[in-house]
Amino acid sequence: MHTTIRIYKGATELNKALVQRRSEIEKLIKNVPGFKAYQLISTSDGVASVTTCDDRSGCEKSNQVAAEFLRTNLSTLKGTKPELYSGDVTFSFGEIPATAGTHK
């Protein structure tokens, strides 16, 4: 498995905008080949997302899909160009249930 982390700094409005468009984002990301999991994390300075796929190519595709979504739908918001971190999953455990959003 491979994971990519996108960190959007200075993007204080982005979390709310993404939560409002969750169903659109879910459809797009779930269609990425090899998709396994996605999390959206509210941070003190913006938002981060974590996508896990079967392999690197799936994560690269998820980065492209995310960038295109932001460019097309939320380009007026600050902080929509993320720092990207990506790598092979060394180990993983536990289960994170899907949620409708428990953000503040």
Coordinates of all heavy atoms in Angstrom, one line a residue:
M1 N 0.8 -1.2 0.0 CA 0.0 0.0 0.0 C 0.9 1.2 0.0 O 2.0 1.2 0.4 CB -0.9 0.0 1.2 CG -2.0 -1.0 1.2 SD -3.3 -0.7 2.5 CE -2.3 -0.9 3.9
H2 N 0.3 2.3 -0.5 CA 1.0 3.6 -0.6 C 0.0 4.7 -0.1 O -1.2 4.6 -0.2 CB 1.3 3.9 -2.1 CG 2.4 4.8 -2.3 ND1 3.7 4.5 -2.2 CD2 2.4 6.2 -2.5 CE1 4.5 5.6 -2.5 NE2 3.6 6.6 -2.7
T3 N 0.6 5.7 0.6 CA -0.2 6.8 1.1 C 0.3 8.1 0.7 O 1.5 8.3 0.6 CB -0.2 6.7 2.7 OG1 -1.0 5.5 3.1 CG2 -0.9 7.9 3.3
T4 N -0.6 9.0 0.4 CA -0.2 10.4 0.1 C -0.9 11.3 1.1 O -2.0 11.1 1.5 CB -0.5 10.8 -1.3 OG1 0.1 12.1 -1.6 CG2 -2.0 10.9 -1.6
I5 N -0.1 12.3 1.6 CA -0.7 13.3 2.6 C -0.6 14.7 1.9 O 0.5 15.0 1.4 CB 0.1 13.3 3.9 CG1 0.1 11.9 4.5 CG2 -0.4 14.4 4.8 CD1 1.1 11.7 5.6
R6 N -1.7 15.4 1.9 CA -1.7 16.7 1.3 C -2.0 17.7 2.4 O -3.0 17.6 3.1 CB -2.8 16.8 0.2 CG -2.5 16.0 -1.0 CD -3.6 16.1 -2.1 NE -4.8 15.4 -1.7 CZ -5.1 14.1 -1.9 NH1 -4.2 13.3 -2.4 NH2 -6.2 13.5 -1.5
I7 N -1.1 18.6 2.7 CA -1.2 19.6 3.8 C -1.5 21.0 3.2 O -0.6 21.5 2.4 CB 0.0 19.6 4.7 CG1 0.2 18.2 5.3 CG2 -0.1 20.7 5.8 CD1 1.4 18.0 6.1
Y8 N -2.6 21.5 3.5 CA -3.0 22.8 3.0 C -2.9 23.9 4.1 O -3.7 24.0 5.0 CB -4.5 22.8 2.5 CG -4.7 21.8 1.4 CD1 -5.0 20.4 1.7 CD2 -4.6 22.1 0.1 CE1 -5.3 19.5 0.7 CE2 -4.9 21.2 -0.9 CZ -5.2 19.9 -0.6 OH -5.4 18.9 -1.6
K9 N -1.8 24.6 4.1 CA -1.5 25.6 5.2 C -2.2 26.9 4.8 O -2.2 27.3 3.6 CB 0.0 25.8 5.4 CG 0.6 24.6 6.0 CD 2.1 24.8 6.2 CE 2.7 23.6 6.9 NZ 4.1 23.8 7.2
G10 N -2.6 27.7 5.8 CA -3.2 28.9 5.6 C -4.6 28.8 4.9 O -5.1 29.8 4.3
A11 N -5.2 27.7 5.0 CA -6.4 27.4 4.3 C -7.6 27.3 5.3 O -8.3 26.2 5.4 CB -6.3 26.1 3.5
T12 N -7.8 28.3 6.0 CA -8.8 28.2 7.1 C -10.2 28.0 6.6 O -11.0 27.5 7.4 CB -8.7 29.5 8.0 OG1 -8.9 30.7 7.1 CG2 -7.4 29.6 8.7
E13 N -10.6 28.4 5.4 CA -11.9 28.2 4.9 C -12.1 26.9 4.2 O -13.2 26.5 3.9 CB -12.3 29.4 4.0 CG -12.2 30.8 4.6 CD -13.3 30.9 5.7 OE1 -14.4 30.5 5.4 OE2 -13.0 31.5 6.7
L14 N -11.0 26.3 3.8 CA -11.0 25.1 3.0 C -11.7 23.9 3.6 O -12.5 23.2 2.9 CB -9.6 24.7 2.6 CG -9.5 23.6 1.5 CD1 -10.3 23.9 0.3 CD2 -8.0 23.3 1.2
N15 N -11.5 23.7 4.9 CA -12.2 22.5 5.5 C -13.7 22.6 5.4 O -14.3 21.6 5.0 CB -11.8 22.4 7.0 CG -12.3 21.2 7.7 OD1 -12.0 20.1 7.2 ND2 -13.1 21.3 8.7
K16 N -14.2 23.7 5.7 CA -15.7 23.9 5.6 C -16.2 23.7 4.2 O -17.2 23.0 4.0 CB -16.1 25.3 6.1 CG -17.6 25.6 6.1 CD -17.9 26.9 6.7 CE -19.4 27.2 6.6 NZ -19.7 28.5 7.1
A17 N -15.5 24.2 3.2 CA -15.9 24.1 1.8 C -15.8 22.6 1.4 O -16.7 22.2 0.7 CB -15.0 24.9 1.0
L18 N -14.8 21.9 1.8 CA -14.7 20.5 1.5 C -15.7 19.6 2.1 O -16.3 18.8 1.5 CB -13.3 20.0 1.8 CG -12.1 20.6 1.0 CD1 -10.8 20.1 1.6 CD2 -12.2 20.3 -0.4
V19 N -16.0 19.9 3.4 CA -17.1 19.2 4.1 C -18.4 19.4 3.4 O -19.2 18.4 3.2 CB -17.2 19.6 5.6 CG1 -18.4 19.1 6.2 CG2 -15.9 19.1 6.3
Q20 N -18.7 20.6 2.9 CA -19.9 20.9 2.2 C -20.0 20.1 0.9 O -21.1 19.9 0.4 CB -20.1 22.4 2.0 CG -20.3 23.2 3.2 CD -20.3 24.7 3.0 OE1 -19.8 25.2 2.0 NE2 -20.8 25.4 3.9
R21 N -18.9 19.8 0.3 CA -18.9 19.1 -1.0 C -18.4 17.6 -0.9 O -18.0 17.1 -1.8 CB -18.0 19.9 -1.9 CG -18.6 21.3 -2.1 CD -17.9 22.1 -3.1 NE -18.4 21.7 -4.4 CZ -18.3 22.5 -5.4 NH1 -17.9 23.7 -5.3 NH2 -18.8 22.1 -6.6
R22 N -18.6 17.1 0.3 CA -18.1 15.7 0.6 C -18.6 14.7 -0.4 O -17.8 13.9 -0.9 CB -18.6 15.3 2.0 CG -18.2 13.9 2.3 CD -18.9 13.3 3.5 NE -18.6 11.8 3.5 CZ -18.4 11.1 4.6 NH1 -18.4 11.7 5.7 NH2 -18.3 9.9 4.5
S23 N -19.8 14.7 -0.8 CA -20.3 13.7 -1.7 C -19.6 13.7 -3.0 O -19.3 12.7 -3.6 CB -21.9 13.7 -1.8 OG -22.2 15.0 -2.4
E24 N -19.4 14.9 -3.5 CA -18.6 15.1 -4.8 C -17.2 14.5 -4.7 O -16.7 13.8 -5.6 CB -18.5 16.5 -5.2 CG -19.8 17.2 -5.6 CD -19.6 18.7 -5.8 OE1 -19.0 19.1 -6.8 OE2 -20.1 19.4 -4.9
I25 N -16.6 14.9 -3.6 CA -15.2 14.5 -3.4 C -15.1 13.0 -3.2 O -14.2 12.3 -3.8 CB -14.6 15.2 -2.2 CG1 -14.5 16.7 -2.4 CG2 -13.2 14.6 -1.8 CD1 -14.3 17.5 -1.2
E26 N -16.1 12.4 -2.4 CA -16.1 11.0 -2.2 C -16.2 10.2 -3.5 O -15.5 9.2 -3.8 CB -17.2 10.6 -1.3 CG -17.2 9.2 -0.8 CD -18.3 8.9 0.3 OE1 -18.9 9.8 0.8 OE2 -18.5 7.7 0.5
K27 N -17.1 10.6 -4.4 CA -17.3 10.0 -5.7 C -16.0 10.0 -6.5 O -15.6 9.0 -7.1 CB -18.4 10.6 -6.5 CG -19.8 10.3 -6.0 CD -20.9 11.0 -6.7 CE -22.2 10.8 -6.0 NZ -23.2 11.7 -6.6
L28 N -15.3 11.2 -6.5 CA -14.1 11.3 -7.3 C -13.0 10.4 -6.8 O -12.3 9.7 -7.5 CB -13.7 12.8 -7.3 CG -14.5 13.7 -8.1 CD1 -14.1 15.2 -7.8 CD2 -14.5 13.4 -9.6
I29 N -12.7 10.5 -5.5 CA -11.6 9.8 -4.9 C -11.8 8.3 -4.9 O -10.9 7.5 -5.1 CB -11.3 10.3 -3.5 CG1 -10.9 11.8 -3.5 CG2 -10.2 9.5 -2.8 CD1 -9.5 12.1 -4.2
K30 N -13.1 7.9 -4.6 CA -13.4 6.4 -4.6 C -13.2 5.8 -6.0 O -13.0 4.6 -6.1 CB -14.8 6.2 -4.1 CG -14.9 6.2 -2.6 CD -16.2 5.7 -2.1 CE -16.3 5.5 -0.6 NZ -17.6 5.0 -0.2
N31 N -13.2 6.6 -7.0 CA -13.0 6.1 -8.4 C -11.6 6.0 -8.8 O -11.3 5.5 -9.9 CB -13.8 6.9 -9.4 CG -15.3 6.6 -9.4 OD1 -15.7 5.4 -9.2 ND2 -16.1 7.6 -9.5
V32 N -10.7 6.4 -7.9 CA -9.2 6.3 -8.2 C -8.9 4.8 -8.2 O -9.2 4.1 -7.2 CB -8.4 7.1 -7.2 CG1 -7.0 6.8 -7.3 CG2 -8.6 8.6 -7.4
P33 N -8.2 4.3 -9.2 CA -7.8 2.9 -9.2 C -7.0 2.5 -7.9 O -6.0 3.2 -7.6 CB -6.9 2.7 -10.4 CG -7.4 3.9 -11.3 CD -7.7 5.0 -10.4
G34 N -7.4 1.4 -7.3 CA -6.7 0.9 -6.1 C -7.0 1.7 -4.8 O -6.3 1.5 -3.8
F35 N -8.0 2.6 -4.8 CA -8.4 3.3 -3.6 C -8.7 2.4 -2.5 O -9.3 1.4 -2.6 CB -9.6 4.2 -3.9 CG -10.2 4.8 -2.7 CD1 -9.6 6.0 -2.1 CD2 -11.3 4.2 -2.0 CE1 -10.2 6.5 -1.0 CE2 -11.8 4.8 -0.9 CZ -11.2 5.9 -0.4
K36 N -8.2 2.8 -1.3 CA -8.4 2.1 0.0 C -9.1 2.9 1.0 O -10.0 2.5 1.7 CB -7.1 1.5 0.5 CG -6.5 0.4 -0.3 CD -7.3 -0.8 -0.3 CE -6.7 -1.9 -1.1 NZ -7.6 -3.0 -1.3
A37 N -8.5 4.1 1.3 CA -9.1 4.9 2.4 C -8.8 6.4 2.2 O -7.8 6.8 1.5 CB -8.5 4.5 3.7
Y38 N -9.6 7.3 2.8 CA -9.4 8.7 2.7 C -9.8 9.3 4.1 O -10.8 8.9 4.6 CB -10.3 9.3 1.6 CG -10.2 10.8 1.5 CD1 -9.2 11.4 0.7 CD2 -11.1 11.6 2.2 CE1 -9.2 12.8 0.7 CE2 -11.1 13.0 2.1 CZ -10.1 13.6 1.3 OH -10.0 15.0 1.2
Q39 N -9.0 10.3 4.5 CA -9.4 11.0 5.7 C -9.1 12.5 5.5 O -8.1 12.8 4.8 CB -8.5 10.6 7.0 CG -8.9 9.3 7.5 CD -8.1 8.2 6.9 OE1 -6.9 8.4 6.5 NE2 -8.7 7.0 6.7
L40 N -10.0 13.3 6.0 CA -9.8 14.8 6.0 C -9.6 15.2 7.4 O -10.4 14.9 8.3 CB -11.1 15.5 5.3 CG -10.9 17.0 5.2 CD1 -9.9 17.3 4.1 CD2 -12.3 17.6 4.8
I41 N -8.6 16.0 7.6 CA -8.2 16.4 9.0 C -8.2 17.9 9.1 O -7.5 18.6 8.3 CB -6.8 15.8 9.3 CG1 -6.8 14.3 9.2 CG2 -6.4 16.2 10.7 CD1 -5.5 13.7 8.8
S42 N -8.9 18.4 10.1 CA -8.9 19.9 10.3 C -7.7 20.1 11.2 O -7.4 19.5 12.2 CB -10.2 20.2 11.1 OG -10.1 21.6 11.4
T43 N -6.9 21.1 10.8 CA -5.7 21.5 11.5 C -5.8 22.9 12.0 O -6.7 23.7 11.6 CB -4.4 21.4 10.6 OG1 -4.5 22.4 9.6 CG2 -4.3 20.0 9.9
S44 N -4.9 23.3 12.9 CA -4.9 24.7 13.4 C -4.7 25.8 12.3 O -5.1 26.9 12.5 CB -3.9 24.9 14.5 OG -2.6 24.7 14.0
D45 N -4.1 25.4 11.2 CA -3.8 26.3 10.2 C -4.4 26.0 8.8 O -4.1 26.6 7.8 CB -2.2 26.3 10.0 CG -1.7 27.4 9.0 OD1 -2.4 28.4 8.9 OD2 -0.7 27.2 8.4
G46 N -5.4 25.1 8.8 CA -6.0 24.7 7.6 C -6.6 23.3 7.6 O -7.4 23.0 8.4
V47 N -6.1 22.5 6.7 CA -6.6 21.2 6.5 C -5.5 20.3 5.9 O -4.6 20.7 5.3 CB -7.9 21.2 5.7 CG1 -7.6 21.6 4.2 CG2 -8.7 19.9 5.7
A48 N -5.7 19.0 6.2 CA -4.8 18.0 5.6 C -5.7 16.8 5.1 O -6.7 16.5 5.7 CB -3.8 17.5 6.6
S49 N -5.3 16.1 4.1 CA -6.0 14.9 3.7 C -5.0 13.8 3.5 O -3.8 14.0 3.2 CB -6.7 15.2 2.3 OG -5.8 15.4 1.3
V50 N -5.5 12.6 3.8 CA -4.6 11.4 3.7 C -5.4 10.4 2.8 O -6.5 10.1 3.1 CB -4.4 10.8 5.1 CG1 -3.6 9.5 5.0 CG2 -3.8 11.8 6.1
T51 N -4.7 10.0 1.8 CA -5.3 9.0 0.9 C -4.4 7.8 0.8 O -3.2 7.9 0.6 CB -5.5 9.5 -0.5 OG1 -6.3 10.7 -0.5 CG2 -6.2 8.5 -1.5
T52 N -5.0 6.6 1.0 CA -4.2 5.3 0.8 C -4.8 4.5 -0.3 O -6.0 4.4 -0.5 CB -4.3 4.5 2.1 OG1 -3.7 5.3 3.2 CG2 -3.5 3.2 2.0
C53 N -3.9 4.0 -1.2 CA -4.2 3.3 -2.3 C -3.3 2.0 -2.4 O -2.4 1.9 -1.6 CB -4.0 4.1 -3.6 SG -5.1 5.5 -3.7
D54 N -3.7 1.1 -3.3 CA -2.9 -0.1 -3.5 C -1.4 0.2 -3.8 O -0.5 -0.5 -3.3 CB -3.4 -1.0 -4.6 CG -4.7 -1.7 -4.2 OD1 -4.9 -2.0 -3.0 OD2 -5.5 -2.0 -5.1
D55 N -1.2 1.3 -4.6 CA 0.2 1.5 -5.0 C 0.4 3.0 -5.3 O -0.5 3.8 -5.2 CB 0.5 0.7 -6.3 CG -0.5 0.9 -7.4 OD1 -1.1 2.0 -7.5 OD2 -0.7 0.0 -8.2
R56 N 1.6 3.3 -5.7 CA 2.0 4.7 -5.9 C 1.2 5.4 -7.0 O 0.8 6.6 -6.9 CB 3.5 4.8 -6.2 CG 4.0 6.2 -6.5 CD 5.5 6.1 -6.8 NE 6.0 7.4 -7.1 CZ 7.2 7.7 -7.4 NH1 8.1 6.8 -7.3 NH2 7.6 8.9 -7.7
S57 N 0.9 4.7 -8.1 CA 0.1 5.3 -9.2 C -1.3 5.7 -8.7 O -1.8 6.7 -9.2 CB 0.1 4.3 -10.4 OG -0.6 3.2 -10.1
G58 N -1.9 4.9 -7.8 CA -3.2 5.3 -7.3 C -3.1 6.6 -6.5 O -4.0 7.5 -6.7
C59 N -2.1 6.8 -5.7 CA -1.9 8.0 -4.9 C -1.6 9.2 -5.8 O -2.1 10.3 -5.6 CB -0.8 7.8 -3.9 SG -1.4 6.8 -2.5
E60 N -0.8 9.0 -6.9 CA -0.5 10.0 -7.8 C -1.8 10.5 -8.5 O -2.0 11.7 -8.7 CB 0.6 9.6 -8.8 CG 1.9 9.5 -8.2 CD 3.0 8.9 -9.1 OE1 2.7 8.4 -10.2 OE2 4.2 8.9 -8.7
K61 N -2.6 9.5 -8.9 CA -3.9 9.9 -9.5 C -4.8 10.6 -8.5 O -5.4 11.6 -8.9 CB -4.6 8.6 -10.0 CG -5.9 8.8 -10.7 CD -5.8 9.6 -12.0 CE -7.1 9.7 -12.7 NZ -7.0 10.6 -13.8
S62 N -4.8 10.2 -7.2 CA -5.6 11.0 -6.3 C -5.1 12.4 -6.1 O -5.9 13.3 -5.9 CB -5.6 10.2 -4.9 OG -4.4 10.5 -4.2
N63 N -3.8 12.6 -6.2 CA -3.3 14.0 -6.1 C -3.8 14.8 -7.3 O -4.1 16.0 -7.2 CB -1.8 14.0 -6.1 CG -1.2 13.5 -4.8 OD1 -1.9 13.6 -3.8 ND2 0.0 12.9 -4.8
Q64 N -3.8 14.2 -8.5 CA -4.3 14.9 -9.7 C -5.7 15.2 -9.6 O -6.2 16.3 -9.9 CB -4.0 14.0 -10.9 CG -2.6 13.8 -11.3 CD -2.4 12.7 -12.3 OE1 -3.3 12.1 -12.8 NE2 -1.1 12.4 -12.7
V65 N -6.5 14.2 -9.1 CA -8.0 14.4 -9.0 C -8.2 15.5 -8.0 O -9.1 16.4 -8.2 CB -8.7 13.1 -8.5 CG1 -10.1 13.3 -8.1 CG2 -8.6 12.1 -9.7
A66 N -7.5 15.5 -6.8 CA -7.7 16.6 -5.8 C -7.4 18.0 -6.4 O -8.1 18.9 -6.2 CB -6.9 16.3 -4.6
A67 N -6.2 18.0 -7.1 CA -5.8 19.3 -7.6 C -6.8 19.9 -8.7 O -7.2 21.0 -8.6 CB -4.4 19.2 -8.3
E68 N -7.3 19.0 -9.5 CA -8.3 19.4 -10.5 C -9.6 19.8 -9.8 O -10.2 20.8 -10.2 CB -8.6 18.2 -11.5 CG -9.6 18.6 -12.5 CD -9.2 19.7 -13.4 OE1 -8.0 20.0 -13.7 OE2 -10.2 20.4 -14.0
F69 N -10.0 19.1 -8.8 CA -11.3 19.5 -8.1 C -11.1 20.9 -7.5 O -12.0 21.7 -7.6 CB -11.6 18.5 -7.0 CG -12.8 18.9 -6.2 CD1 -14.1 18.5 -6.7 CD2 -12.7 19.6 -5.0 CE1 -15.2 18.9 -6.0 CE2 -13.8 19.9 -4.3 CZ -15.1 19.6 -4.8
L70 N -10.0 21.2 -6.8 CA -9.8 22.5 -6.2 C -9.7 23.6 -7.2 O -10.2 24.7 -7.1 CB -8.5 22.4 -5.3 CG -8.6 21.6 -4.1 CD1 -7.2 21.5 -3.4 CD2 -9.6 22.1 -3.1
R71 N -9.0 23.3 -8.3 CA -8.8 24.3 -9.4 C -10.2 24.6 -10.0 O -10.5 25.8 -10.3 CB -7.9 23.7 -10.5 CG -7.1 24.7 -11.2 CD -6.1 24.1 -12.2 NE -6.1 22.7 -12.5 CZ -5.3 21.7 -12.0 NH1 -4.4 22.1 -11.1 NH2 -5.4 20.5 -12.4
T72 N -11.0 23.6 -10.2 CA -12.3 23.8 -10.8 C -13.3 24.4 -9.9 O -14.2 25.2 -10.3 CB -12.8 22.5 -11.4 OG1 -11.9 22.0 -12.3 CG2 -14.1 22.6 -12.1
N73 N -13.3 24.0 -8.6 CA -14.4 24.3 -7.7 C -14.1 25.3 -6.6 O -15.0 26.0 -6.1 CB -15.0 23.1 -7.1 CG -15.5 22.1 -8.1 OD1 -16.6 22.4 -8.7 ND2 -14.8 21.0 -8.4
L74 N -12.9 25.4 -6.2 CA -12.5 26.2 -5.0 C -11.3 27.1 -5.2 O -10.6 27.4 -4.2 CB -12.3 25.3 -3.8 CG -13.6 24.4 -3.4 CD1 -13.2 23.4 -2.4 CD2 -14.7 25.2 -3.0
S75 N -11.0 27.5 -6.4 CA -9.8 28.2 -6.7 C -9.8 29.6 -6.0 O -8.7 30.2 -5.9 CB -9.6 28.4 -8.2 OG -10.7 29.1 -8.8
T76 N -10.9 30.1 -5.6 CA -10.9 31.4 -5.0 C -10.5 31.4 -3.5 O -10.2 32.4 -2.9 CB -12.3 32.1 -5.1 OG1 -13.2 31.2 -4.4 CG2 -12.7 32.3 -6.5
L77 N -10.4 30.2 -2.9 CA -10.0 30.1 -1.5 C -8.5 30.1 -1.4 O -7.7 29.6 -2.3 CB -10.5 28.8 -0.9 CG -12.0 28.7 -0.8 CD1 -12.4 27.3 -0.2 CD2 -12.6 29.8 0.0
K78 N -8.0 30.6 -0.3 CA -6.5 30.7 0.0 C -6.0 29.3 0.4 O -6.8 28.5 1.0 CB -6.2 31.6 1.2 CG -6.4 33.0 0.9 CD -6.0 33.9 2.1 CE -6.2 35.3 1.8 NZ -5.8 36.2 2.9
G79 N -4.8 29.0 0.1 CA -4.1 27.8 0.6 C -4.5 26.5 -0.2 O -4.4 25.4 0.4
T80 N -4.9 26.6 -1.4 CA -5.3 25.4 -2.1 C -4.2 24.7 -2.8 O -4.4 23.7 -3.5 CB -6.5 25.7 -3.1 OG1 -6.0 26.7 -4.1 CG2 -7.7 26.2 -2.4
K81 N -3.0 25.1 -2.7 CA -1.8 24.4 -3.2 C -1.1 23.7 -2.0 O -0.5 24.4 -1.2 CB -0.9 25.4 -3.9 CG 0.3 24.6 -4.6 CD 1.1 25.6 -5.4 CE 2.4 25.0 -5.9 NZ 2.3 24.0 -6.9
P82 N -1.2 22.4 -2.0 CA -0.7 21.7 -0.8 C 0.8 21.3 -0.8 O 1.4 21.3 -1.9 CB -1.5 20.4 -0.8 CG -1.6 20.1 -2.3 CD -1.8 21.5 -2.9
E83 N 1.3 21.1 0.4 CA 2.6 20.4 0.5 C 2.2 18.9 0.4 O 1.3 18.4 1.0 CB 3.2 20.6 1.9 CG 3.7 22.0 2.1 CD 4.3 22.2 3.5 OE1 4.7 21.2 4.1 OE2 4.2 23.3 4.0
L84 N 3.0 18.1 -0.4 CA 2.7 16.7 -0.6 C 3.8 15.8 0.0 O 5.0 16.1 -0.2 CB 2.6 16.4 -2.1 CG 1.5 17.1 -2.9 CD1 1.7 16.8 -4.4 CD2 0.2 16.6 -2.5
Y85 N 3.3 14.8 0.7 CA 4.2 13.8 1.2 C 3.6 12.4 0.8 O 2.4 12.2 0.9 CB 4.3 13.9 2.7 CG 4.8 15.2 3.2 CD1 3.9 16.2 3.5 CD2 6.1 15.4 3.4 CE1 4.4 17.5 3.9 CE2 6.6 16.7 3.8 CZ 5.7 17.7 4.0 OH 6.2 18.9 4.4
S86 N 4.5 11.5 0.4 CA 4.0 10.3 -0.1 C 5.0 9.2 0.1 O 6.2 9.4 0.1 CB 3.7 10.4 -1.7 OG 3.1 9.3 -2.2
G87 N 4.5 8.0 0.4 CA 5.4 6.9 0.6 C 4.7 5.5 0.8 O 3.5 5.5 1.0
D88 N 5.5 4.5 0.8 CA 4.9 3.1 1.1 C 4.5 3.0 2.5 O 5.2 3.5 3.4 CB 5.9 2.1 0.7 CG 6.2 2.0 -0.8 OD1 5.2 2.2 -1.6 OD2 7.3 1.6 -1.2
V89 N 3.4 2.4 2.8 CA 3.0 2.1 4.1 C 3.9 1.0 4.7 O 4.0 -0.1 4.2 CB 1.5 1.7 4.2 CG1 1.1 1.3 5.6 CG2 0.6 2.8 3.6
T90 N 4.5 1.3 5.8 CA 5.4 0.4 6.5 C 4.6 -0.6 7.3 O 4.8 -1.8 7.2 CB 6.4 1.1 7.4 OG1 7.1 2.1 6.7 CG2 7.4 0.2 8.0
F91 N 3.6 -0.2 8.1 CA 2.6 -1.0 8.7 C 1.4 -0.2 9.0 O 1.5 1.0 9.1 CB 3.2 -1.8 9.8 CG 3.5 -1.1 11.1 CD1 2.5 -0.7 12.0 CD2 4.8 -0.7 11.3 CE1 2.9 0.0 13.2 CE2 5.2 0.0 12.5 CZ 4.2 0.3 13.4
S92 N 0.3 -0.9 9.2 CA -0.9 -0.3 9.6 C -1.7 -1.2 10.4 O -1.6 -2.4 10.3 CB -1.7 0.0 8.2 OG -3.0 0.5 8.5
F93 N -2.6 -0.6 11.3 CA -3.5 -1.5 12.1 C -4.7 -0.6 12.5 O -4.6 0.6 12.4 CB -2.8 -2.1 13.3 CG -2.1 -1.1 14.2 CD1 -2.8 -0.5 15.3 CD2 -0.8 -0.8 14.1 CE1 -2.2 0.4 16.1 CE2 -0.2 0.1 14.9 CZ -0.9 0.7 15.9
G94 N -5.7 -1.3 13.0 CA -6.9 -0.6 13.4 C -7.9 -0.4 12.2 O -7.6 -0.7 11.1
E95 N -9.0 0.1 12.6 CA -10.0 0.4 11.6 C -10.7 1.7 11.9 O -11.0 2.0 13.1 CB -11.1 -0.7 11.6 CG -12.2 -0.5 10.6 CD -13.2 -1.6 10.5 OE1 -12.9 -2.7 11.0 OE2 -14.3 -1.3 10.1
I96 N -10.8 2.5 10.9 CA -11.4 3.9 11.1 C -12.7 3.8 10.4 O -12.8 3.7 9.1 CB -10.5 5.0 10.5 CG1 -9.2 5.0 11.1 CG2 -11.2 6.3 10.6 CD1 -8.2 5.9 10.5
P97 N -13.8 3.9 11.1 CA -15.2 3.9 10.5 C -15.4 5.1 9.7 O -14.9 6.2 10.1 CB -16.1 3.7 11.6 CG -15.4 4.3 12.8 CD -13.9 4.0 12.5
A98 N -16.2 5.0 8.6 CA -16.6 6.2 7.9 C -17.5 7.1 8.7 O -18.3 6.5 9.5 CB -17.3 5.8 6.6
T99 N -17.4 8.4 8.6 CA -18.2 9.3 9.4 C -18.8 10.3 8.5 O -18.3 10.6 7.4 CB -17.4 10.0 10.5 OG1 -16.4 10.8 9.8 CG2 -16.7 9.1 11.4
A100 N -19.9 10.9 8.9 CA -20.6 11.9 8.2 C -19.9 13.3 8.5 O -20.3 14.3 8.0 CB -22.0 11.9 8.5
G101 N -19.0 13.3 9.4 CA -18.3 14.5 9.8 C -18.6 14.9 11.2 O -19.7 15.1 11.6
T102 N -17.5 14.9 12.0 CA -17.7 15.3 13.4 C -16.9 16.6 13.6 O -16.5 16.9 14.7 CB -17.2 14.2 14.3 OG1 -15.8 13.9 13.9 CG2 -18.0 13.0 14.2
H103 N -16.7 17.4 12.5 CA -15.9 18.6 12.7 C -16.6 19.6 13.5 O -17.8 19.5 13.7 CB -15.6 19.2 11.3 CG -16.9 19.6 10.6 ND1 -17.8 18.8 10.0 CD2 -17.4 20.9 10.4 CE1 -18.8 19.4 9.5 NE2 -18.6 20.7 9.7
K104 N -15.9 20.6 14.0 CA -16.4 21.6 14.8 C -16.9 22.8 14.0 O -16.4 23.1 13.0 CB -15.3 22.1 15.8 CG -14.9 21.1 16.8 CD -13.9 21.6 17.7 CE -13.4 20.4 18.6 NZ -12.3 20.8 19.5

